Amino acid sequence: MDHNHRLRAELDQHELAALQRFIVALQEEPHPSSPQVTMDRIFRGLEGQVFVPVEVSGAQPDAHLAMLMEHKAEQLYKQSGCRFVLVQHLATDAERRSYVWAGGAWQTVP
């Protein structure tokens, strides 16, 4: 199955509603990189997590923003039971890589 094909089909109404709440919460936070959720690249991990790429402007991942997104994702999990992993997708990255903040270090994801 194509990576882009499987992403939208797997989000149920409960997950979509929770994701919309996350997007609103993220937009309420002032941040210079103007983070935007890229809905067309959402995918599900092997353990059921929903990976949500957040496109940011800038030349490298922003640790402060990553920690903020991790905190908001944890709040969302407590409220909705939906486990989201927020990924920074750098708009200026020539290889269009995404990065996930994993306990103090960056890891690339497809």
Side-chain angles (χ1 to χ4, degrees), residues 3-39:
H3 169 75
N4 287 331
H5 177 71
R6 64 186 165 125
L7 53 98
R8 284 185 287 226
E10 293 189 22
L11 292 182
D12 63 27
Q13 291 298 332
H14 178 68
E15 291 170 323
L16 284 172
L19 181 58
Q20 290 300 325
R21 287 196 301 275
F22 167 76
I23 292 170
V24 168
L26 184 63
Q27 290 172 343
E28 289 173 347
E29 295 285 341
H31 198 277
S33 65
S34 303
Q36 297 292 324
V37 172
T38 51
M39 297 291 287

mmCIF file of all heavy atoms in Angstrom, residues 3-39:
data_model
loop_
_atom_site.group_PDB
_atom_site.id
_atom_site.type_symbol
_atom_site.label_atom_id
_atom_site.label_comp_id
_atom_site.label_asym_id
_atom_site.label_seq_id
_atom_site.Cartn_x
_atom_site.Cartn_y
_atom_site.Cartn_z
ATOM 1 N N HIS A 3 2.385 4.773 0.825
ATOM 2 C CA HIS A 3 2.492 5.522 2.089
ATOM 3 C C HIS A 3 1.460 6.641 2.168
ATOM 4 O O HIS A 3 0.790 6.807 3.174
ATOM 5 C CB HIS A 3 3.912 6.081 2.211
ATOM 6 C CG HIS A 3 4.072 7.074 3.315
ATOM 7 N ND1 HIS A 3 4.124 6.696 4.623
ATOM 8 C CD2 HIS A 3 4.164 8.416 3.304
ATOM 9 C CE1 HIS A 3 4.258 7.774 5.370
ATOM 10 N NE2 HIS A 3 4.288 8.820 4.590
ATOM 11 N N ASN A 4 1.305 7.425 1.107
ATOM 12 C CA ASN A 4 0.356 8.540 1.128
ATOM 13 C C ASN A 4 -1.091 8.067 1.072
ATOM 14 O O ASN A 4 -1.977 8.742 1.544
ATOM 15 C CB ASN A 4 0.626 9.492 -0.035
ATOM 16 C CG ASN A 4 1.886 10.302 0.194
ATOM 17 O OD1 ASN A 4 2.249 10.569 1.336
ATOM 18 N ND2 ASN A 4 2.558 10.660 -0.867
ATOM 19 N N HIS A 5 -1.320 6.894 0.504
ATOM 20 C CA HIS A 5 -2.688 6.393 0.382
ATOM 21 C C HIS A 5 -3.255 5.968 1.730
ATOM 22 O O HIS A 5 -4.407 6.198 2.030
ATOM 23 C CB HIS A 5 -2.722 5.216 -0.595
ATOM 24 C CG HIS A 5 -4.074 4.590 -0.719
ATOM 25 N ND1 HIS A 5 -5.115 5.221 -1.360
ATOM 26 C CD2 HIS A 5 -4.555 3.418 -0.262
ATOM 27 C CE1 HIS A 5 -6.183 4.445 -1.300
ATOM 28 N NE2 HIS A 5 -5.863 3.358 -0.642
ATOM 29 N N ARG A 6 -2.438 5.347 2.577
ATOM 30 C CA ARG A 6 -2.966 4.776 3.801
ATOM 31 C C ARG A 6 -3.238 5.792 4.899
ATOM 32 O O ARG A 6 -3.962 5.526 5.817
ATOM 33 C CB ARG A 6 -2.034 3.693 4.330
ATOM 34 C CG ARG A 6 -0.695 4.167 4.735
ATOM 35 C CD ARG A 6 0.170 2.978 5.103
ATOM 36 N NE ARG A 6 1.544 3.426 5.151
ATOM 37 C CZ ARG A 6 2.326 3.279 6.187
ATOM 38 N NH1 ARG A 6 1.897 2.689 7.258
ATOM 39 N NH2 ARG A 6 3.546 3.727 6.139
ATOM 40 N N LEU A 7 -2.640 6.989 4.806
ATOM 41 C CA LEU A 7 -2.726 7.908 5.922
ATOM 42 C C LEU A 7 -4.120 8.423 6.218
ATOM 43 O O LEU A 7 -4.581 8.327 7.334
ATOM 44 C CB LEU A 7 -1.764 9.078 5.722
ATOM 45 C CG LEU A 7 -1.842 9.855 4.418
ATOM 46 C CD1 LEU A 7 -2.658 11.098 4.581
ATOM 47 C CD2 LEU A 7 -0.449 10.198 3.976
ATOM 48 N N ARG A 8 -4.838 8.943 5.239
ATOM 49 C CA ARG A 8 -6.142 9.550 5.529
ATOM 50 C C ARG A 8 -7.202 8.504 5.844
ATOM 51 O O ARG A 8 -8.076 8.734 6.643
ATOM 52 C CB ARG A 8 -6.585 10.408 4.355
ATOM 53 C CG ARG A 8 -5.858 11.723 4.299
ATOM 54 C CD ARG A 8 -6.392 12.586 3.214
ATOM 55 N NE ARG A 8 -5.957 12.075 1.922
ATOM 56 C CZ ARG A 8 -5.462 12.801 0.965
ATOM 57 N NH1 ARG A 8 -5.342 14.101 1.127
ATOM 58 N NH2 ARG A 8 -5.085 12.282 -0.167
ATOM 59 N N ALA A 9 -7.107 7.354 5.237
ATOM 60 C CA ALA A 9 -8.130 6.323 5.401
ATOM 61 C C ALA A 9 -8.170 5.761 6.818
ATOM 62 O O ALA A 9 -9.193 5.259 7.241
ATOM 63 C CB ALA A 9 -7.890 5.200 4.396
ATOM 64 N N GLU A 10 -7.071 5.880 7.563
ATOM 65 C CA GLU A 10 -7.014 5.235 8.870
ATOM 66 C C GLU A 10 -7.454 6.119 10.039
ATOM 67 O O GLU A 10 -7.540 5.635 11.149
ATOM 68 C CB GLU A 10 -5.602 4.701 9.121
ATOM 69 C CG GLU A 10 -5.246 3.566 8.193
ATOM 70 C CD GLU A 10 -3.949 2.901 8.568
ATOM 71 O OE1 GLU A 10 -3.530 3.007 9.735
ATOM 72 O OE2 GLU A 10 -3.346 2.289 7.687
ATOM 73 N N LEU A 11 -7.702 7.390 9.820
ATOM 74 C CA LEU A 11 -8.149 8.258 10.909
ATOM 75 C C LEU A 11 -9.665 8.193 11.032
ATOM 76 O O LEU A 11 -10.377 8.466 10.088
ATOM 77 C CB LEU A 11 -7.717 9.706 10.658
ATOM 78 C CG LEU A 11 -6.227 10.006 10.711
ATOM 79 C CD1 LEU A 11 -5.988 11.489 10.499
ATOM 80 C CD2 LEU A 11 -5.606 9.549 11.999
ATOM 81 N N ASP A 12 -10.140 7.806 12.229
ATOM 82 C CA ASP A 12 -11.582 7.772 12.433
ATOM 83 C C ASP A 12 -12.080 9.149 12.884
ATOM 84 O O ASP A 12 -11.285 10.077 13.077
ATOM 85 C CB ASP A 12 -11.974 6.661 13.415
ATOM 86 C CG ASP A 12 -11.394 6.854 14.814
ATOM 87 O OD1 ASP A 12 -11.122 8.005 15.217
ATOM 88 O OD2 ASP A 12 -11.223 5.835 15.509
ATOM 89 N N GLN A 13 -13.374 9.280 13.075
ATOM 90 C CA GLN A 13 -13.957 10.585 13.435
ATOM 91 C C GLN A 13 -13.431 11.111 14.769
ATOM 92 O O GLN A 13 -13.192 12.306 14.921
ATOM 93 C CB GLN A 13 -15.488 10.490 13.461
ATOM 94 C CG GLN A 13 -16.113 10.292 12.102
ATOM 95 C CD GLN A 13 -15.826 11.456 11.159
ATOM 96 O OE1 GLN A 13 -15.630 12.595 11.569
ATOM 97 N NE2 GLN A 13 -15.788 11.160 9.868
ATOM 98 N N HIS A 14 -13.240 10.211 15.720
ATOM 99 C CA HIS A 14 -12.716 10.602 17.033
ATOM 100 C C HIS A 14 -11.296 11.159 16.888
ATOM 101 O O HIS A 14 -10.960 12.194 17.469
ATOM 102 C CB HIS A 14 -12.745 9.390 17.974
ATOM 103 C CG HIS A 14 -12.190 9.655 19.331
ATOM 104 N ND1 HIS A 14 -12.811 10.483 20.249
ATOM 105 C CD2 HIS A 14 -11.053 9.214 19.929
ATOM 106 C CE1 HIS A 14 -12.085 10.532 21.347
ATOM 107 N NE2 HIS A 14 -11.014 9.767 21.181
ATOM 108 N N GLU A 15 -10.457 10.473 16.105
ATOM 109 C CA GLU A 15 -9.082 10.930 15.887
ATOM 110 C C GLU A 15 -9.051 12.252 15.129
ATOM 111 O O GLU A 15 -8.261 13.136 15.449
ATOM 112 C CB GLU A 15 -8.282 9.876 15.128
ATOM 113 C CG GLU A 15 -8.007 8.628 15.946
ATOM 114 C CD GLU A 15 -7.427 7.510 15.124
ATOM 115 O OE1 GLU A 15 -7.839 7.342 13.950
ATOM 116 O OE2 GLU A 15 -6.567 6.790 15.652
ATOM 117 N N LEU A 16 -9.909 12.389 14.123
ATOM 118 C CA LEU A 16 -9.947 13.640 13.365
ATOM 119 C C LEU A 16 -10.352 14.815 14.249
ATOM 120 O O LEU A 16 -9.772 15.897 14.152
ATOM 121 C CB LEU A 16 -10.906 13.516 12.174
ATOM 122 C CG LEU A 16 -10.387 12.723 10.982
ATOM 123 C CD1 LEU A 16 -11.502 12.509 9.960
ATOM 124 C CD2 LEU A 16 -9.198 13.425 10.335
ATOM 125 N N ALA A 17 -11.339 14.590 15.131
ATOM 126 C CA ALA A 17 -11.767 15.657 16.040
ATOM 127 C C ALA A 17 -10.637 16.033 16.994
ATOM 128 O O ALA A 17 -10.393 17.219 17.252
ATOM 129 C CB ALA A 17 -13.007 15.215 16.819
ATOM 130 N N ALA A 18 -9.913 15.030 17.506
ATOM 131 C CA ALA A 18 -8.792 15.302 18.406
ATOM 132 C C ALA A 18 -7.684 16.043 17.669
ATOM 133 O O ALA A 18 -7.085 16.975 18.204
ATOM 134 C CB ALA A 18 -8.263 13.989 18.990
ATOM 135 N N LEU A 19 -7.421 15.648 16.435
ATOM 136 C CA LEU A 19 -6.396 16.312 15.645
ATOM 137 C C LEU A 19 -6.759 17.773 15.390
ATOM 138 O O LEU A 19 -5.906 18.657 15.474
ATOM 139 C CB LEU A 19 -6.178 15.580 14.318
ATOM 140 C CG LEU A 19 -5.108 16.169 13.400
ATOM 141 C CD1 LEU A 19 -3.754 16.233 14.091
ATOM 142 C CD2 LEU A 19 -5.023 15.355 12.121
ATOM 143 N N GLN A 20 -8.021 18.039 15.128
ATOM 144 C CA GLN A 20 -8.461 19.425 14.925
ATOM 145 C C GLN A 20 -8.226 20.252 16.189
ATOM 146 O O GLN A 20 -7.817 21.403 16.121
ATOM 147 C CB GLN A 20 -9.937 19.476 14.512
ATOM 148 C CG GLN A 20 -10.192 18.962 13.115
ATOM 149 C CD GLN A 20 -9.454 19.747 12.050
ATOM 150 O OE1 GLN A 20 -9.273 20.956 12.151
ATOM 151 N NE2 GLN A 20 -9.002 19.055 11.022
ATOM 152 N N ARG A 21 -8.476 19.647 17.364
ATOM 153 C CA ARG A 21 -8.211 20.353 18.625
ATOM 154 C C ARG A 21 -6.719 20.653 18.770
ATOM 155 O O ARG A 21 -6.336 21.722 19.248
ATOM 156 C CB ARG A 21 -8.720 19.536 19.819
ATOM 157 C CG ARG A 21 -10.226 19.536 19.938
ATOM 158 C CD ARG A 21 -10.700 19.077 21.304
ATOM 159 N NE ARG A 21 -10.276 17.740 21.665
ATOM 160 C CZ ARG A 21 -10.916 16.610 21.325
ATOM 161 N NH1 ARG A 21 -12.010 16.673 20.608
ATOM 162 N NH2 ARG A 21 -10.462 15.445 21.718
ATOM 163 N N PHE A 22 -5.869 19.699 18.352
ATOM 164 C CA PHE A 22 -4.430 19.934 18.418
ATOM 165 C C PHE A 22 -4.027 21.094 17.509
ATOM 166 O O PHE A 22 -3.232 21.949 17.891
ATOM 167 C CB PHE A 22 -3.635 18.686 18.027
ATOM 168 C CG PHE A 22 -2.193 19.007 17.785
ATOM 169 C CD1 PHE A 22 -1.340 19.242 18.853
ATOM 170 C CD2 PHE A 22 -1.705 19.144 16.509
ATOM 171 C CE1 PHE A 22 -0.017 19.600 18.636
ATOM 172 C CE2 PHE A 22 -0.386 19.495 16.285
ATOM 173 C CZ PHE A 22 0.460 19.721 17.349
ATOM 174 N N ILE A 23 -4.554 21.117 16.288
ATOM 175 C CA ILE A 23 -4.207 22.169 15.331
ATOM 176 C C ILE A 23 -4.570 23.541 15.894
ATOM 177 O O ILE A 23 -3.788 24.482 15.825
ATOM 178 C CB ILE A 23 -4.890 21.918 13.972
ATOM 179 C CG1 ILE A 23 -4.282 20.667 13.308
ATOM 180 C CG2 ILE A 23 -4.754 23.126 13.057
ATOM 181 C CD1 ILE A 23 -5.050 20.185 12.086
ATOM 182 N N VAL A 24 -5.755 23.649 16.490
ATOM 183 C CA VAL A 24 -6.174 24.912 17.097
ATOM 184 C C VAL A 24 -5.218 25.302 18.223
ATOM 185 O O VAL A 24 -4.770 26.441 18.320
ATOM 186 C CB VAL A 24 -7.634 24.817 17.605
ATOM 187 C CG1 VAL A 24 -7.980 26.006 18.480
ATOM 188 C CG2 VAL A 24 -8.592 24.715 16.421
ATOM 189 N N ALA A 25 -4.867 24.326 19.081
ATOM 190 C CA ALA A 25 -3.968 24.604 20.207
ATOM 191 C C ALA A 25 -2.585 25.031 19.716
ATOM 192 O O ALA A 25 -1.967 25.945 20.275
ATOM 193 C CB ALA A 25 -3.849 23.369 21.104
ATOM 194 N N LEU A 26 -2.099 24.405 18.647
ATOM 195 C CA LEU A 26 -0.796 24.753 18.103
ATOM 196 C C LEU A 26 -0.802 26.172 17.528
ATOM 197 O O LEU A 26 0.138 26.939 17.718
ATOM 198 C CB LEU A 26 -0.390 23.750 17.021
ATOM 199 C CG LEU A 26 0.998 23.923 16.413
ATOM 200 C CD1 LEU A 26 2.087 23.735 17.467
ATOM 201 C CD2 LEU A 26 1.199 22.948 15.260
ATOM 202 N N GLN A 27 -1.893 26.542 16.862
ATOM 203 C CA GLN A 27 -1.977 27.862 16.247
ATOM 204 C C GLN A 27 -2.134 28.970 17.279
ATOM 205 O O GLN A 27 -1.847 30.118 16.996
ATOM 206 C CB GLN A 27 -3.112 27.889 15.225
ATOM 207 C CG GLN A 27 -2.792 27.048 14.007
ATOM 208 C CD GLN A 27 -3.970 26.893 13.065
ATOM 209 O OE1 GLN A 27 -5.115 27.137 13.426
ATOM 210 N NE2 GLN A 27 -3.691 26.452 11.852
ATOM 211 N N GLU A 28 -2.584 28.617 18.476
ATOM 212 C CA GLU A 28 -2.720 29.609 19.545
ATOM 213 C C GLU A 28 -1.367 29.996 20.138
ATOM 214 O O GLU A 28 -1.255 31.007 20.806
ATOM 215 C CB GLU A 28 -3.627 29.072 20.658
ATOM 216 C CG GLU A 28 -5.081 28.990 20.242
ATOM 217 C CD GLU A 28 -5.951 28.301 21.288
ATOM 218 O OE1 GLU A 28 -5.399 27.673 22.222
ATOM 219 O OE2 GLU A 28 -7.177 28.376 21.157
ATOM 220 N N GLU A 29 -0.343 29.174 19.912
ATOM 221 C CA GLU A 29 0.990 29.432 20.458
ATOM 222 C C GLU A 29 1.789 30.303 19.496
ATOM 223 O O GLU A 29 2.004 29.917 18.350
ATOM 224 C CB GLU A 29 1.749 28.108 20.665
ATOM 225 C CG GLU A 29 1.142 27.206 21.706
ATOM 226 C CD GLU A 29 1.400 27.687 23.123
ATOM 227 O OE1 GLU A 29 2.328 28.499 23.338
ATOM 228 O OE2 GLU A 29 0.664 27.242 24.015
ATOM 229 N N PRO A 30 2.254 31.464 19.938
ATOM 230 C CA PRO A 30 3.089 32.283 19.053
ATOM 231 C C PRO A 30 4.454 31.629 18.877
ATOM 232 O O PRO A 30 5.077 31.232 19.852
ATOM 233 C CB PRO A 30 3.204 33.612 19.805
ATOM 234 C CG PRO A 30 2.969 33.261 21.242
ATOM 235 C CD PRO A 30 2.051 32.063 21.247
ATOM 236 N N HIS A 31 4.877 31.467 17.648
ATOM 237 C CA HIS A 31 6.188 30.877 17.377
ATOM 238 C C HIS A 31 6.714 31.430 16.061
ATOM 239 O O HIS A 31 5.970 31.495 15.081
ATOM 240 C CB HIS A 31 6.096 29.348 17.330
ATOM 241 C CG HIS A 31 7.425 28.696 17.491
ATOM 242 N ND1 HIS A 31 8.296 28.527 16.451
ATOM 243 C CD2 HIS A 31 8.042 28.216 18.590
ATOM 244 C CE1 HIS A 31 9.404 27.950 16.901
ATOM 245 N NE2 HIS A 31 9.279 27.741 18.188
ATOM 246 N N PRO A 32 7.990 31.799 16.000
ATOM 247 C CA PRO A 32 8.531 32.435 14.791
ATOM 248 C C PRO A 32 8.564 31.540 13.555
ATOM 249 O O PRO A 32 8.614 32.040 12.437
ATOM 250 C CB PRO A 32 9.949 32.843 15.202
ATOM 251 C CG PRO A 32 10.272 32.009 16.384
ATOM 252 C CD PRO A 32 8.974 31.741 17.074
ATOM 253 N N SER A 33 8.529 30.219 13.723
ATOM 254 C CA SER A 33 8.621 29.343 12.557
ATOM 255 C C SER A 33 7.270 29.079 11.900
ATOM 256 O O SER A 33 7.199 28.373 10.908
ATOM 257 C CB SER A 33 9.270 28.012 12.936
ATOM 258 O OG SER A 33 8.451 27.317 13.842
ATOM 259 N N SER A 34 6.194 29.641 12.423
ATOM 260 C CA SER A 34 4.848 29.504 11.852
ATOM 261 C C SER A 34 4.507 28.046 11.525
ATOM 262 O O SER A 34 4.321 27.680 10.371
ATOM 263 C CB SER A 34 4.721 30.344 10.578
ATOM 264 O OG SER A 34 5.021 31.683 10.858
ATOM 265 N N PRO A 35 4.420 27.179 12.537
ATOM 266 C CA PRO A 35 4.151 25.763 12.278
ATOM 267 C C PRO A 35 2.775 25.535 11.670
ATOM 268 O O PRO A 35 1.799 26.143 12.079
ATOM 269 C CB PRO A 35 4.258 25.120 13.660
ATOM 270 C CG PRO A 35 4.029 26.231 14.626
ATOM 271 C CD PRO A 35 4.514 27.481 13.967
ATOM 272 N N GLN A 36 2.716 24.650 10.666
ATOM 273 C CA GLN A 36 1.465 24.302 9.998
ATOM 274 C C GLN A 36 1.385 22.787 9.868
ATOM 275 O O GLN A 36 2.338 22.156 9.424
ATOM 276 C CB GLN A 36 1.407 24.913 8.591
ATOM 277 C CG GLN A 36 1.420 26.421 8.561
ATOM 278 C CD GLN A 36 0.149 27.022 9.140
ATOM 279 O OE1 GLN A 36 -0.937 26.495 8.975
ATOM 280 N NE2 GLN A 36 0.300 28.139 9.834
ATOM 281 N N VAL A 37 0.254 22.202 10.247
ATOM 282 C CA VAL A 37 0.066 20.759 10.104
ATOM 283 C C VAL A 37 -0.116 20.419 8.631
ATOM 284 O O VAL A 37 -0.889 21.072 7.931
ATOM 285 C CB VAL A 37 -1.147 20.275 10.923
ATOM 286 C CG1 VAL A 37 -1.458 18.818 10.634
ATOM 287 C CG2 VAL A 37 -0.886 20.490 12.408
ATOM 288 N N THR A 38 0.613 19.413 8.157
ATOM 289 C CA THR A 38 0.491 18.980 6.761
ATOM 290 C C THR A 38 -0.372 17.712 6.738
ATOM 291 O O THR A 38 0.121 16.597 6.901
ATOM 292 C CB THR A 38 1.868 18.730 6.111
ATOM 293 O OG1 THR A 38 2.633 17.862 6.949
ATOM 294 C CG2 THR A 38 2.628 20.026 5.928
ATOM 295 N N MET A 39 -1.658 17.912 6.550
ATOM 296 C CA MET A 39 -2.649 16.834 6.635
ATOM 297 C C MET A 39 -2.412 15.722 5.621
ATOM 298 O O MET A 39 -2.765 14.579 5.864
ATOM 299 C CB MET A 39 -4.057 17.407 6.447
ATOM 300 C CG MET A 39 -4.481 18.392 7.507
ATOM 301 S SD MET A 39 -4.740 17.642 9.124
ATOM 302 C CE MET A 39 -6.276 16.773 8.835
#
